[in-house]
Structures are given as C-alpha cells and as structure tokens.
Amino acid sequence: PPSSAPPPKRSRLTAAAVARLSDLSVLTMAHELRQLIDTANAPIFGIDKEGRVNEWNNKTVEITGFSKEEAFNKPLVSTFIKSNLRDNVLAVLQSALAGSETSNYELEFQTKTGETVYLLV
C-alpha cells in the first residue's frame, strides 16, 4: 500500500545563506590567522608602503618593549632602528616592498629601554 506520509523536507540553501556561510568561514579563517600571528613564538612585524608599522605581534612587543598601540602607524625605520643603520635598512625595506626578496638581513632594533636587539628578517 502506498504511504500517506509526506515526503521528507529537503533543506535548500539560498544563495544568501551560502554567502553568509562563506562569509562566516572567511571570518573564522581570518580570526585563526590573527591568533597564529599574535601568538607566534617569533617576532612578526610588518610595514605598509610608506614604511609605517601595520603588524606587531606579541613576541615583538615582548622583545622591544613597545606595545602594539605604541608601534602602529609609526615609521619603522626612524622610530625603531638605530640611527647609524637607518639608511641601509630603509634601502633593504624599499627593495622588499618593490618585490625583491631579502633573506638573512639582521635588523638592529632599539628597545623601549634603549637596548639593542637583533632581529633576523
């Protein structure tokens, strides 16, 4: 005998629902990457095309003594690099921003307390 039960409901995702799920996935991934950078056991810092700090993880805070808030949007070279090395560092960073790879370059950072620390980039 034929069943009188209604057919099972099939869930259909609308394009908007798929887009929301995709956005959530991207946000989750972005959050995980942010956590990875912030908690890395190595200093991670970055600059924008004007040479201003736009990335400064917890290890960089620990090593330099400068908080993220103190570092963000500051010119990296004139703020954190020892004065006698600024021209060389500026040239290396400009080359890197232009797409040239630089490896094993040692930066001499000046910490908040005036000490010198060496960071390999």
Side-chain angles (χ1 to χ4, degrees), residues 25-40:
S25 176
V26 169
L27 288 174
T28 300
M29 217 177 340
H31 177 73
E32 289 172 359
L33 289 171
R34 166 62 33 218
Q35 287 295 106
L36 178 67
I37 289 169
D38 283 344
T39 61

Side-chain angles (χ1 to χ4, degrees), residues 77 81-92 105-109 116-118:
V77 174
I81 303 299
K82 295 187 66 154
S83 59
N84 62 321
L85 302 173
R86 289 179 184 160
D87 289 340
N88 288 342
V89 171
L90 191 58
V92 167
Y105 186 82
E106 195 170 62
L107 292 179
E108 288 187 35
F109 266 73
T116 300
V117 293
Y118 300 92

Side-chain angles (χ1 to χ4, degrees), residues 12-92:
R12 293 186 323 179
L13 292 176
T14 64
V18 170
R20 282 193 299 272
L21 286 173
S22 178
D23 289 347
L24 182 59
S25 176
V26 169
L27 288 174
T28 300
M29 217 177 340
H31 177 73
E32 289 172 359
L33 289 171
R34 166 62 33 218
Q35 287 295 106
L36 178 67
I37 289 169
D38 283 344
T39 61
N41 197 29
I44 298 173
F45 57 92
I47 57 170
D48 62 17
K49 63 183 180 179
E50 283 85 37
R52 296 186 177 281
V53 174
N54 62 7
E55 186 62 62
W56 198 262
N57 77 343
N58 296 339
K59 186 56 92 172
T60 309
V61 171
E62 180 184 323
I63 290 171
T64 66
F66 290 101
S67 70
K68 290 179 185 185
E69 293 76 20
E70 290 172 309
F72 265 51
N73 294 316
K74 298 281 189 319
L76 179 80
V77 174
S78 62
T79 306
F80 303 105
I81 303 299
K82 295 187 66 154
S83 59
N84 62 321
L85 302 173
R86 289 179 184 160
D87 289 340
N88 288 342
V89 171
L90 191 58
V92 167

